[in-house]
Amino acid sequence: MNRPATTFVGCLCPVVKRFARSNAPKAFRQKPRTPPFWGRLHGCVAEDLCCRLICSSRKTSTGGSGGNSFQGLVEPLDKFLSTGLLLAGLAAFILDFTAMVQPAFSFETRSGSIAFRGMPDIEEHLKQGLKHAEVAVDTMIDIVPAGEPSAEESKQYRKLIEEVWEVVDANYMDARDTGFSKKEWATLRDEASAKPLRSRQAAYRAVKEMLARGLRDPYSRLIPLEEFDAMRKYDMTGVGLNVGTADDYVKNTASPLPRNSRGTDGIWVMGLMKDSPADGAGMLQGDRILEIDGRSLENTSPFKASVMLKGDGGDNDSVTLKVQRPEGKIEDLSLKRQSVTIPSPVKGNLQVVGGRRLGFLQLTSFNARAQEDLVKTVKEVESKAATELVLDLRDNRGGLVQEGVEVAKLFLPGDSTIVITQESGAKGQTRIVTPGPPITDLPLTVLVNQNTASASEILAGAIKDNCRGVLAGSKTYGKGLIQSVYALSDGSGLVLTIGKYMTPGMVDIDREGIQPDFKRIPSMKGIETTIQACKASRG
């Protein structure tokens, strides 16, 4: 940056600083006893950003390295304009970002100090604030001129906008009542399509802006092609398959079931990894897997099928599938399993406390080994004459929701409701129930805290509402949204909120969390009294 540009930035800095201080959100300035923390933050951050730009530009003007952010961009006059727009954008971002974070704080304290409402609120406001920040920065990037795309490229970029609009319009659920409007969503689509989309990155920026402005959901997001491709390299099956139900296939591939398929039972291939064993065996999207190693997949969940495909890690390094091809032909295929190492999330031991023989089961996450390893650990502590079980879900932030459902089946009798899913559209509410019987009937205490989230909350809610055990500790995190991942035509992905989870007793997990029965492990009498009262309240 040349000397006049440096002077221009230096002169503009105090203006930006005063603007940032004076325009801090009213909520930060309206209570006279509130320390002027946010006003100082706005000013200091803005001033710091200005100083960084000046230091960078001085390095450039004196021949230093790392300061050529604006060199070669455009002519000097355009440099001045770009710098001014950059600083204005940064100031706007500071205001917008802190306004997003502000609801996670409360000023209703006698001392006038800022009171913190909790990590769930601040985390989610930060996530949403960062999404707006990313859009602000991306918008500034559009200052840089780019070459004109070909007609075919331009068509692809606008197809991506239309595709995202369609997926959201058909599947998104405004689970938190943030005011999502299909009319506004269509307007945002039209605005994005009208922009000069000169590159794939410009199309991604337009989509991110649509999502940030239209959905106001911290969990719905676009995953760029490179990142999504890396995610798909994680192979749960060990043979390179992405499988689901017939409904999953239609929803995630946006394609109807093959015409020659007879019925909708079995497990469907939604996608496969290139150069994987499944790819080498000639498997295709739209194949239906009917059997794995001679075992029928009727009434088998995709998750359970994935575990069967992966195997137990023993000497058997191959798996045989009976597959119905898209044209209707049935074939037997043999696939060689790849080595997949998944750490165990389960630890267990027997502790004698006050004469009580407690079998402690610590479950740190829900991965593909959770159910299998928990069964082994329960049997181990029972073999040591445990008379009670303590399942520790503290700091377990979740993982595979389906595995959380599978773990719940270990403790609940048949026909018990594990969780209720509420989704948009015709699907409505769905109850997931257990086949039974449980693997143990020992008294059960579940330990929870503020970091017990998602799949852990589903399990804790199922135990509590079915009167199977008691909860001890502090209120759980409150993350009960259902996300689905949609593959887009250009190879990118869209993570979208499509519903939410509720406990069997119709407690809305999301943002509310689950209240425990006790602060610490109760006495045996306390457990029995609570269970009896629970059963009485449910008739």
Side-chain angles (χ1 to χ4, degrees):
M1 189 182 293
N2 57 23
R3 187 173 183 81
T6 304
T7 305
F8 176 78
V9 177
C11 294
L12 191 58
C13 280
V15 178
V16 173
K17 180 178 176 182
R18 286 196 298 271
F19 173 76
R21 277 185 172 176
S22 62
N23 286 276
K26 291 182 180 179
F28 299 133
R29 296 183 282 109
Q30 62 188 7
K31 294 181 174 59
R33 282 187 287 181
T34 300
F37 169 75
W38 289 107
R40 290 200 302 271
L41 175 67
H42 278 72
C44 290
V45 173
E47 185 176 36
D48 179 66
L49 290 167
C50 288
C51 289
R52 288 176 186 273
L53 280 171
I54 292 172
C55 291
S56 176
S57 65
R58 282 175 180 168
K59 269 189 177 183
T60 305
S61 62
T62 58
S65 61
N68 59 350
S69 300
F70 292 92
Q71 276 193 334
L73 179 63
V74 279
E75 292 301 314
L77 183 61
D78 290 330
K79 291 182 183 178
F80 300 150
L81 178 60
S82 298
T83 304
L85 289 172
L86 174 64
L87 290 171
L90 288 171
F93 153 62
I94 294 166
L95 295 175
D96 189 41
F97 182 75
T98 48
M100 293 296 300
V101 174
Q102 184 268 339
F105 292 84
S106 171
F107 300 95
E108 302 296 337
T109 59
R110 292 184 179 181
S111 64
S113 60
I114 297 173
F116 190 50
R117 287 182 185 163
M119 282 309 297
D121 276 352
I122 189 66
E123 280 186 23
E124 293 181 6
H125 285 293
L126 281 171
K127 284 179 182 177
Q128 186 67 358
L130 286 170
K131 286 174 70 174
H132 282 266
E134 185 178 12
V135 169
V137 173
D138 283 345
T139 300
M140 287 184 276
I141 291 173
D142 281 335
I143 295 170
V144 182
E148 290 297 325
S150 67
E152 182 61 30
E153 287 174 331
S154 182
K155 182 179 178 181
Q156 289 177 356
Y157 302 152
R158 279 168 176 74
K159 179 182 178 182
L160 180 66
I161 302 286
E162 188 70 21
E163 198 173 358
V164 170
W165 173 80
E166 287 179 358
V167 171
V168 172
D169 192 67
N171 301 287
Y172 177 66
M173 179 179 183
D174 187 12
R176 294 179 172 177
D177 299 322
T178 60
F180 173 72
S181 162
K182 289 197 173 187
K183 182 178 179 180
E184 180 188 0
W185 181 240
T187 300
L188 290 172
R189 173 204 58 192
D190 296 340
E191 290 177 3
S193 296
K195 291 182 177 181
L197 305 176
R198 297 188 177 95
S199 66
R200 185 190 304 273
Q201 295 305 317
Y204 285 171
R205 290 194 288 273
V207 169
K208 289 175 183 177
E209 184 177 6
M210 285 173 63
L211 295 173
R213 292 173 58 193
L215 271 54
R216 294 177 283 277
D217 175 12
Y219 297 103
S220 295
R221 65 192 187 279
L222 177 74
I223 308 175
L225 186 151
E226 298 80 7
E227 185 182 341
F228 192 52
D229 188 53
M231 286 175 58
R232 287 189 290 190
K233 290 180 180 178
Y234 174 72
D235 180 16
M236 261 187 61
T237 66
V239 293
L241 287 174
N242 179 17
V243 297
T245 63
D247 286 344
D248 293 334
Y249 177 87
V250 172
K251 183 167 63 176
N252 288 283
T253 67
S255 302
L257 294 175
R259 289 184 178 180
N260 294 307
S261 60
R262 296 186 289 273
T264 59
D265 57 323
I267 299 298
W268 295 77
V269 176
M270 299 188 295
L272 42 92
M273 293 173 59
K274 187 177 180 181
D275 299 325
S276 65
D279 185 33
M283 294 193 70
L284 302 168
Q285 183 184 72
D287 281 347
R288 180 164 59 144
I289 306 174
L290 304 174
E291 295 179 6
I292 298 177
D293 285 335
R295 295 171 58 186
S296 171
L297 296 186
E298 187 175 357
N299 298 321
T300 300
S301 70
F303 183 85
K304 188 67 175 176
S306 296
V307 174
M308 293 167 65
L309 286 166
K310 180 175 69 70
D312 57 9
D315 296 332
N316 188 7
D317 63 353
S318 64
V319 58
T320 301
L321 311 181
K322 185 180 287 294
V323 177
Q324 183 184 54
R325 313 313 296 268
E327 69 275 11
K329 183 181 178 181
I330 295 179
E331 296 180 5
D332 289 329
L333 300 176
S334 180
L335 310 181
K336 186 176 177 62
R337 291 184 172 111
Q338 296 173 325
S339 176
V340 180
T341 302
I342 302 175
S344 175
V346 181
K347 294 179 181 177
N349 61 72
L350 180 73
Q351 297 183 24
V352 180
V353 182
R356 299 165 66 182
R357 300 182 66 84
L358 304 177
F360 274 83
L361 314 167
Q362 183 184 26
L363 184 57
T364 57
S365 67
F366 291 90
N367 64 21
R369 290 184 57 177
Q371 184 203 40
E372 179 184 349
D373 289 2
L374 196 58
V375 170
K376 294 176 183 177
T377 308
V378 168
K379 290 180 179 178
E380 286 176 6
V381 296
E382 283 186 327
S383 70
K384 297 176 182 178
T387 57
E388 302 174 46
L389 296 178
V390 178
L391 178 59
D392 190 353
L393 297 180
R394 291 174 298 180
D395 299 322
N396 184 329
R397 300 295 292 252
L400 302 172
V401 170
Q402 183 58 42
E403 187 70 346
V405 170
E406 298 297 327
V407 169
K409 293 176 182 178
L410 302 179
F411 299 101
L412 299 174
D415 294 325
S416 300
T417 298
I418 298 173
V419 67
I420 300 167
T421 64
Q422 183 175 324
E423 299 183 39
S424 60
K427 209 164 186 183
Q429 287 189 358
T430 304
R431 289 179 178 267
I432 300 175
V433 299
T434 59
I439 63 169
T440 179
D441 58 1
L442 290 180
L444 178 63
T445 299
V446 180
L447 302 182
V448 297
N449 65 5
Q450 69 275 13
N451 291 323
T452 301
S454 192
S456 294
E457 291 177 288
I458 290 174
L459 174 57
I463 297 297
K464 180 177 181 179
D465 285 2
N466 282 289
C467 310
R468 173 61 183 88
V470 298
L471 272 54
S474 55
K475 190 173 81 165
T476 63
Y477 183 92
K479 167 66 166 64
L481 297 179
I482 305 172
Q483 268 90 42
S484 187
V485 182
Y486 296 87
L488 302 175
S489 59
D490 76 324
S492 61
L494 178 65
V495 178
L496 190 67
T497 298
I498 62 168
K500 61 181 179 179
Y501 296 108
M502 294 190 291
T503 72
M506 297 301 290
V507 173
D508 189 346
I509 295 173
D510 191 55
R511 306 198 87 175
E512 298 298 325
I514 300 173
Q515 285 286 0
D517 305 292
F518 301 92
K519 290 185 176 180
R520 55 188 62 86
I521 297 176
S523 65
M524 191 62 233
K525 183 177 180 181
I527 294 174
E528 291 173 347
T529 301
T530 302
I531 295 297
Q532 289 172 1
C534 176
K535 290 179 177 177
S537 68
R538 283 158 176 72

